[in-house]
Amino acid sequence: MSTNYLLGSLPDFHIVIPARYASQRFPKKLMADLGGKPVLQWVYELALKAGAKSVTIATDHHVIEQTALAFGADVVMTKDDHENGTERLAEVAEKKSWQGDEIVVNVQGDEPFLPVDLIHSCVSALASDKESEMATAACHIDSKKEFFNPNVVKVVCDEKQRALYFSRAPMPWDRDGFSEDENTNDVLNELFPAYRHIGLYVYRASLLAKYSELSLSPLERWEKLEQLRFLHHGIKIQVAISNVLPSHGVDTPEDLEKLRLKLS
């Protein structure tokens, strides 16, 4: 990130860290040791550095609760049947009685090196757009290999930098520039508006309050992208553009080893 935000120029915001104990690919990963402390503690400490009005760890498991309390975190125990982190955030917002335009940031518990500047830019993007109810982030895609990768989620924006659509498919399409063999030249034109979605979400508390009323959208069902539920229901999403892609989180034991090597 190239922009440094002065905390005084940002509105107050809350950070909630949804923390699940179980994980299909890497069970108990938030409790895994990274440089002498749990992964979750790294995330909590970076959240504190962001200057939030409050930082809360939201979990449904007593092991995470006790671990988080041990390193001084504020913990809210939530229901154990939430389908995603957004539902867990909504429960915390309700319990904390956050209202209306109060801004709530969802920081994933497995992102120990998420740039604080990225949090600030998303908060600033939402605060500056009174019509949007949430914000997220994206960065420019430079290579066709990344562009055509279905695991890389793409986002297309309008002139106000609001999301028009998210997809795993390559979009937008360069009708005249793409050959049949897209691997002939792997470099995309630097002016081509291809953007990779970065999964950091910032919400207004009013949106979280009505989240449970938003039905699953057909597009979300096909693309397996939760953010399409919001677009389906006409909710505007502001997109903050980052100059860099944040480092990968801890999804697998291999990811954890890479971060350990980075610290050594």
Side-chain angles (χ1 to χ4, degrees):
M1 299 294 294
S2 60
T3 304
N4 292 313
Y5 292 90
L6 296 174
L7 290 180
S9 66
L10 288 173
D12 287 339
F13 61 96
H14 306 279
I15 290 178
V16 179
I17 305 169
R20 292 177 63 248
Y21 186 69
S23 174
Q24 289 184 341
R25 284 192 288 177
F26 189 0
K28 307 176 187 178
K29 64 181 179 179
L30 301 190
M31 300 293 98
D33 179 80
L34 178 61
K37 53 190 175 186
V39 169
L40 182 60
Q41 185 172 350
W42 283 88
V43 178
Y44 176 72
E45 291 174 356
L46 82 81
L48 290 179
K49 292 176 184 176
K53 186 177 181 180
S54 70
V55 178
T56 306
I57 291 177
T59 187
D60 59 7
H61 201 284
H62 66 91
V63 171
I64 287 183
E65 178 193 25
Q66 294 305 313
T67 301
L69 290 173
F71 58 71
D74 175 29
V75 182
V76 169
M77 294 298 291
T78 60
K79 300 174 184 176
D80 61 4
D81 59 351
H82 289 310
E83 293 186 3
N84 52 52
T86 308
E87 288 187 3
R88 209 173 296 279
L89 251 70
E91 183 180 351
V92 172
E94 181 181 9
K95 287 183 173 180
K96 294 281 189 178
S97 298
W98 293 332
Q99 301 292 320
D101 280 348
E102 288 193 82
I103 293 175
V104 186
V105 183
N106 181 348
V107 172
Q108 298 297 325
D110 58 3
E111 296 280 356
F113 298 120
L114 181 74
V116 169
D117 275 359
L118 187 61
I119 296 174
H120 290 172
S121 64
C122 285
V123 169
S124 179
L126 181 57
S128 63
D129 184 356
K130 299 303 181 184
E131 293 184 32
S132 290
E133 296 181 70
M134 62 182 289
T136 189
C139 63
H140 193 259
I141 297 175
D142 298 319
S143 75
K144 288 184 180 178
K145 181 179 180 181
E146 184 178 3
F147 185 67
F148 284 92
N149 183 349
N151 294 317
V152 174
V153 177
K154 276 69 70 174
V155 58
V156 172
C157 300
D158 66 14
E159 64 177 358
K160 294 182 178 179
Q161 210 55 49
R162 294 172 183 160
L164 289 170
Y165 192 65
F166 298 87
S167 182
R168 298 182 183 279
M171 66 173 200
W173 187 259
D174 182 357
R175 190 195 67 173
D176 298 325
F178 289 151
S179 64
E180 291 184 7
D181 180 6
E182 66 270 9
N183 295 314
T184 302
N185 178 7
D186 187 50
V187 179
L188 285 175
N189 187 310
E190 62 180 12
L191 298 178
F192 184 61
Y195 289 93
R196 175 179 186 148
H197 178 232
I198 299 171
L200 175 67
Y201 295 102
V202 179
Y203 306 90
R204 297 193 192 279
S206 56
L207 174 57
L208 292 174
K210 65 182 180 182
Y211 178 75
S212 63
E213 303 170 6
L214 303 179
S215 60
L216 186 77
S217 76
L219 293 170
E220 174 188 1
R221 185 178 294 111
W222 286 104
E223 293 259 21
K224 299 294 186 284
L225 297 174
E226 182 194 353
Q227 58 269 40
L228 292 176
R229 184 181 311 189
F230 297 103
L231 292 182
H232 177 77
H233 290 280
I235 292 163
K236 296 180 175 64
I237 305 174
Q238 180 64 218
V239 180
I241 302 301
S242 170
N243 293 327
V244 295
L245 179 67
S247 61
H248 195 62
V250 182
D251 289 332
T252 65
E254 292 74 22
D255 293 333
L256 181 63
E257 286 304 317
K258 289 177 183 178
L259 293 181
R260 284 172 175 166
L261 287 173
K262 190 177 291 188
L263 289 175
S264 62

